[in-house]
Amino acid sequence: MLPSQALLPAVVFALTALRALASDTFLAAVYEHAVILPPATQEPVPPRDALALMNKNMDVLEGAIKEAAQQGAHIIVTPEDGIYGWQFTRESIYPYLEDIPDPVVNWIPCTDPSRFGPRPVQERLSCMARNNSIYVVANIGDKKPCDSSDPSCPRDGRYQYNTDVVFDTQGKLVARYHKYNLFRSETQFDYPKEPEAVTFETPFGKFGIFTCFDILFYEPAVVLVSKMQVDTVLFPTAWMNVLPFLTAIEFHSAWAMGMRVNLLLANTHNTTKAMTELSAHPRLSPTYPPAINWSLYATSIKKFPGENDTFSGTVRKDIFTFRELRHKDGNYTVCQGDLCCHLVYQMSNKTRDEIYVLGAFDGLHGSLIKYHWQICTLLKCPSTSLSTCGQPVETAQTKFEMFSLSGTFGTSYVFPEVLYSGVQLAPGEFEVLRDGRLKSKNGMSKPLITATLFGRLYEKDQPHPLRISL
Ligand SMILES: *[C@@H]1O[C@H](CO)[C@@H](O)[C@H](O)[C@H]1NC(C)=O
Ligand SMILES: *[C@@H]1O[C@H](CO)[C@@H](O)[C@H](O)[C@H]1NC(C)=O
Ligand SMILES: *[C@@H]1O[C@H](CO)[C@@H](O)[C@H](O)[C@H]1NC(C)=O
Ligand SMILES: *[C@@H]1O[C@H](CO)[C@@H](O)[C@H](O)[C@H]1NC(C)=O
Ligand SMILES: *[C@@H]1O[C@H](CO)[C@@H](O)[C@H](O)[C@H]1NC(C)=O
Ligand SMILES: *[C@@H]1O[C@H](CO)[C@@H](O)[C@H](O)[C@H]1NC(C)=O
């Protein structure tokens, strides 16, 4: 999970990155749950108290699941940490964990609750799925005992995993996924020795599943889509909004578009629900977006000439190369490392008290965990002082008549982001051409905060085991 901090209005999540076909669709629901948190204590509570707290959260989820099923949903996604929260030490989370078997055991906890000894959380989730005849996606904690015959067994004699589970319409456990890319404060959990690419088939397409911070890395997120060719990704998350490039709605919708896959996600913090119809097999749809060569246009043109007036600015801790957009319209290029970013733009109303820049970044991001970003961004600065460029900004007044942004990316994994004033998405108002240009369509209805091409060079990331951060 990513801890909450300065949250923007959290968001509903049902991203139809791909338009559904008239036939061969399914109805999906997501429920963003405001988790009822246990008391913040370092001491483990008695198991009975842990179960009581989890039941309180499951009471709320049960209402949402019933309602979704009554409205015809085939599947419902609930958030990461949605049943007990995130404020734990390794010891204090222990009473909340259940041993979760591998789905190959073919188990319906609702009808066979004592097969593996008491597992009340799995039993209840299974019954919610079975009673309502709906796939239920939830995030709970798994525990697996180990001993000294396993050299990496933790000192307390058990592995503890942040785990997604899926129960089908019969209540059968059909998927179990142990989160691989733990966020740095998740010291209550271990990550699995190897990343797990978990998929399952349904009458409405092939599904894959991963959790929160996983979405920023190659394994298992990209593997599920590019290699295993899932139709829909399930994504329980507890996401912290980070401007300018990583607010939940912005980055998650961009990832779904860049990967050309359905993404169903539920975040914590805010009670919202949404239902949407999706294509069961988007790759077969006539509206499936074409593959994009993200560098084709940018490598085909000369750098736009212009004033040599770049400057450095920081976006959180990353040092970007920026150039101010001085005029109402223009063509600009900014380069950093191997990346050159080109922008053609026209503003409809430029005022003196709003400054925009074109920025480029090509390098390792992160302090404890280093992973490679390539970013081209058209970005509003929070004030008229250039030294503030790169700091978060939530509102703007300048509308753009048009923009076209491209970059000489060294990757095929680029996620297109457009954010309007008030941290709002701009669905239908931009497009990505096959040659890699992110372009506005027919004028934009609201003032712009940022238009960004967020690229990931996974092969330059630090290897995963180095990401341990205890
Ligand atoms: C929750 O989301 C709704 C709708 O997006 C928003 O109006 C509300 O302010 C949000 N509440 C919190 C506490 O973020
Ligand atoms: C499921 O249905 C059974 C029988 O109708 C009922 O006893 C049980 O409480 C229900 N459980 C859930 C989780 O809906
Ligand atoms: C994209 O276009 C560039 C420039 O023409 C070319 O070198 C590269 O091979 C293309 N990439 C792919 C994946 O087709
Ligand atoms: C632009 O300025 C940089 C230093 O700020 C310098 O290295 C570079 O040669 C200049 N380029 C041109 C075309 O003047
Ligand atoms: C900017 O580039 C576009 C092509 O992308 C060209 O049509 C236009 O004339 C250029 N404008 C300027 C001011 O150079
Ligand atoms: C620019 O246009 C937008 C939308 O019409 C408006 O809200 C904003 O106030 C305008 N800004 C200026 C500086 O006129």
Side-chain angles (χ1 to χ4, degrees):
M1 65 134 212
L2 296 165
S4 137
Q5 189 190 76
L7 279 167
L8 296 164
V11 208
V12 176
F13 256 127
L15 281 175
T16 4
L18 309 157
R19 194 173 291 273
L21 275 175
S23 60
D24 207 14
T25 63
F26 67 102
L27 205 55
V30 297
Y31 183 74
E32 299 212 316
H33 173 49
V35 187
I36 304 162
L37 298 173
T41 158
Q42 305 286 310
E43 296 302 313
V45 299
R48 202 192 319 143
D49 294 2
L51 183 58
L53 183 276
M54 292 193 284
N55 271 321
K56 272 195 210 165
N57 280 298
M58 284 193 287
D59 289 345
V60 180
L61 298 184
E62 185 172 347
I65 289 165
K66 279 210 170 96
E67 197 182 321
Q70 276 160 11
Q71 292 177 39
H74 297 90
I75 186 166
I76 180 164
V77 185
T78 64
E80 181 188 28
D81 301 327
I83 291 177
Y84 46 63
W86 44 85
Q87 306 165 345
F88 294 107
T89 63
R90 198 173 162 83
E91 293 70 36
S92 68
I93 200 169
Y94 188 69
Y96 295 84
L97 309 179
E98 288 186 358
D99 197 328
I100 306 167
D102 187 315
V104 293
V105 299
N106 202 6
W107 180 39
I108 301 180
C110 189
T111 56
D112 190 2
S114 50
R115 179 166 163 197
F116 300 104
R119 309 276 163 97
V121 176
Q122 290 167 83
E123 180 187 343
R124 187 162 178 200
L125 290 169
S126 163
C127 287
M128 289 184 207
R130 185 179 175 89
N131 282 15
N132 297 292
S133 202
I134 183 172
Y135 280 76
V136 169
V137 182
N139 176 271
I140 57 180
D142 191 5
K143 60 178 177 191
K144 288 283 176 282
C146 55
D147 58 35
S148 54
S149 67
D150 171 357
S152 38
C153 181
R155 242 178 276 161
D156 50 15
R158 62 200 186 230
Y159 291 103
Q160 303 187 161
Y161 299 114
N162 176 329
T163 310
D164 297 330
V165 286
V166 182
F167 297 93
D168 73 6
T169 53
Q170 302 298 307
K172 189 167 89 175
L173 178 68
V174 292
R176 178 193 69 180
Y177 167 70
H178 296 133
K179 184 177 182 184
Y180 188 56
N181 297 286
L182 296 173
F183 193 64
R184 58 171 176 253
S185 58
E186 273 184 293
T187 52
Q188 69 271 40
F189 290 122
D190 305 298
Y191 58 83
K193 292 194 178 84
E194 296 296 329
E196 302 167 353
V198 173
T199 66
F200 60 98
E201 295 282 353
T202 73
F204 42 95
K206 183 173 179 180
F207 282 71
I209 188 163
F210 57 77
T211 316
C212 207
F213 202 38
D214 282 331
I215 199 171
L216 281 159
F217 299 94
Y218 188 78
E219 290 186 300
V222 176
V223 170
L224 287 172
V225 181
S226 297
K227 297 223 168 95
M228 311 197 70
Q229 301 268 303
V230 298
D231 297 299
T232 302
V233 168
L234 301 169
F235 182 52
T237 185
W239 193 271
M240 168 179 69
N241 286 316
V242 181
L243 280 165
F245 308 129
L246 290 174
T247 67
I249 52 169
E250 175 191 31
F251 185 70
H252 301 153
S253 62
W255 190 88
M257 277 183 273
M259 298 303 294
R260 300 182 294 151
V261 72
N262 293 332
L263 178 66
L264 283 175
L265 70 101
N267 202 355
T268 51
H269 313 304
N270 198 348
T271 312
T272 48
K273 30 191 163 178
M275 303 248 292
T276 188
E277 191 182 46
L278 293 170
S279 171
H281 305 285
R283 284 186 181 78
L284 305 179
S285 155
T287 57
Y288 187 60
I292 288 163
N293 183 330
W294 290 100
S295 62
L296 187 55
Y297 179 78
T299 52
S300 74
I301 61 165
K302 290 213 175 94
K303 289 182 190 174
F304 293 128
E307 308 103 283
N308 189 0
D309 56 357
T310 61
F311 62 98
S312 292
T314 53
V315 178
R316 300 184 77 81
K317 287 181 182 159
D318 300 324
I319 299 178
F320 278 58
T321 303
F322 286 134
R323 165 169 287 167
E324 183 188 350
L325 307 185
R326 292 229 174 128
H327 308 290
K328 201 173 165 210
D329 54 26
N331 294 355
Y332 286 79
T333 297
V334 164
C335 300
Q336 185 181 99
D338 293 334
L339 181 68
C340 281
C341 305
H342 306 300
L343 175 71
V344 178
Y345 73 94
Q346 188 180 356
M347 297 171 182
S348 23
N349 54 359
K350 177 168 168 61
T351 53
R352 273 179 207 192
D353 53 10
E354 288 207 316
I355 288 187
Y356 285 79
V357 288
L358 172 64
F361 177 77
D362 182 13
L364 285 171
H365 164 88
S367 43
L368 289 168
I369 302 166
K370 293 202 186 301
Y371 49 114
H372 200 111
W373 290 8
Q374 277 193 331
I375 290 183
C376 288
T377 184
L378 158 56
L379 184 63
K380 196 205 145 182
C381 304
S383 78
T384 50
S385 162
L386 291 181
S387 64
T388 64
C389 296
Q391 291 171 18
V393 54
E394 292 177 19
T395 58
Q397 288 177 353
T398 305
K399 289 211 292 189
F400 279 68
E401 206 70 48
M402 69 79 61
F403 69 80
S404 169
L405 180 67
S406 61
T408 58
F409 290 98
T411 176
S412 46
Y413 298 104
V414 177
F415 311 121
E417 305 183 322
V418 177
L419 215 50
Y420 280 160
S421 184
V423 194
Q424 296 177 66
L425 295 179
E429 300 204 0
F430 65 93
E431 62 186 335
V432 179
L433 306 186
R434 292 171 87 139
D435 63 11
R437 273 178 288 174
L438 170 62
K439 287 189 71 173
S440 60
K441 273 163 97 175
N442 317 321
M444 313 206 75
S445 64
K446 299 197 182 85
L448 186 72
I449 295 180
T450 184
T452 298
L453 289 166
F454 186 108
R456 283 284 285 112
L457 259 66
Y458 298 110
E459 71 270 19
K460 290 195 178 175
D461 289 0
Q462 251 180 4
H464 180 274
L466 298 179
R467 293 192 208 135
I468 312 169
S469 48
L470 294 175

